Amino acid sequence: MLNLKESLRSGLVDIMREAAFNVPQDVKEALQRAYEIEDNSVAKANLRAILRNIEVSKEKKLPMCQDTGTPIFFIELGEDFPLKSELKGIIEEAVRIATDEIPLRPNAVNPWTYKNSGDNTGRFVPIIHLDLVPGGQMKVIYLAKGGGSENTSQLFMLSPVLGLSGIKRAIIDAMIEAGPKPCPPVIVGVGVGGSANMALKLAKKATFKRLNELNPDPKIAGVEAELLEKINSLGMGPMGLGGKTYALAVKIEWAHRHPASLPVGINTQCWAFRRAEAIFDNSGEMRLLVPP
Amino acid sequence: MAGYRLKTPVSEEDVRKLKVGDIVYLDGIIITGRDQVHRRALELAFKGEKDKMPMNLEGLALYHCGPIVRKVDGEWKIFGFGPTTSARMDSVETDFIREFGIRLIVGKGGMFEKTTRGMKEYKAAYLAYPGGTSAVATSAVKRVVDVHWLDLGSPEAMWVVKVENFGPTMVAIDSCGNNLFIDVLNKAKKLAEEAKAQM
């Protein structure tokens, strides 16, 4: 049991380190394509700096962005996985170790006293979303979420009579409101339906979808493509300084809704997508899926 | 669109030639200052106690940045040096430029009407550093020369940093009253209304 805990802890630190110095391959490819299609010099200079930053971060083991984010974990815990209630404590320890070793910027601040805890842990931080699933493995998606791009997230509680066009308009409004603030190019995650908090959670989960994979529902795939085209046609471009690529992708998740409610959650994810995904087997052995 | 390599401190003449869309690389001393540096420095200025400022900022570049800094073998070392959101300083930046003679503001996400007017009046420019590109910025750091007001906490302190070939930065507000962020956003707002009408 002791070994299991230790290997879990060190595996978690490893995936946090991977995320600090890498972006997922599909994001890198999308940024490269954006660089190729841009023709204005400011947009190209921004994307060139971004692509170079990805290389330098990986080579020199320097954090991608100085805002090393809030640690967020989405966990699918197999019901036969040997650890359950102790998991939270192990994740917290891993966050403390990672903060010291990588190093990460301490980003957990008490909203009443303004005191920074100094180690990225605190009340409800790290943020952990847990789902129980069949099997003996544990899947972890780790996200280090920067403040700049989380700040431009939005929730719209629309009237259902507004329908699909209301959803699309809300997304356009949210992008104008976001403007240069979330460090574009961004990935736009949209959660439709559920409840207020579910729509926002789905919006964040939507950003985890592979950028190069089409939505299996052709109707939703069409909406995603239309919105991506419309958002980019506004001309805000990389860093909001003009160009063709404000968004790399629009990704939609959904849930059934209450007859009287049409929640639309929007989550903006900056290009510096510090996300790692891994599977732990029941001995604590970790297999990294993303970023490689 | 011109390209420049400027050494700080910069002169009014240097700033006057910068136009929105130009690309600039910096050499020399830049100082970091975000929310708390602005607050403390302006408190001193408004009390008539500018002599208590830890250093002369004239002609320097003020960088909106909360760096990741650690002491390694007794020396300060920077691990993260990317820009923070400038908009938070928008309401006080004109006062800061006027009081301390800053010529260049470096940050991300843009500054808006008030700072644009201030930069025109006092001849300063805003350089947009690509948000999130901390590793590139860190590589341009030669050394940490000094730190002031460390009691504000390390991200909020005033770090005095020597840089070489720091960039690319893009002139987003020039000293003639042009603001690239505002121009892009105004155009986008108009296009958004047209797009929404068809949805």
Side-chain angles (χ1 to χ4, degrees), chain A residues 66-115:
Chain A
Q66 86 294 336
D67 179 357
T68 52
T70 291
I72 303 174
F73 293 84
F74 284 80
I75 292 177
E76 288 173 17
L77 182 64
E79 60 191 343
D80 301 323
F81 193 76
L83 276 173
K84 293 182 186 70
S85 61
E86 287 164 288
L87 204 54
K88 191 168 165 252
I90 294 170
I91 294 172
E92 283 172 3
E93 270 176 67
V95 167
R96 281 189 202 102
I97 295 167
T99 301
D100 182 54
E101 283 183 0
I102 294 177
L104 302 175
R105 194 175 79 180
N107 280 339
V109 176
N110 180 315
W112 307 109
T113 63
Y114 278 50
K115 194 172 160 13

Side-chain angles (χ1 to χ4, degrees), chain B residues 14 25 41 72 81 89-90 100 102 116 121 124 153 155 162 192 199:
Chain B
D14 287 330
Y25 286 81
V72 180
F81 201 52
M89 277 60 81
D90 211 13
F100 303 109
I102 284 281
T116 309
E121 188 169 356
K162 187 159 193 267
M199 283 175 162

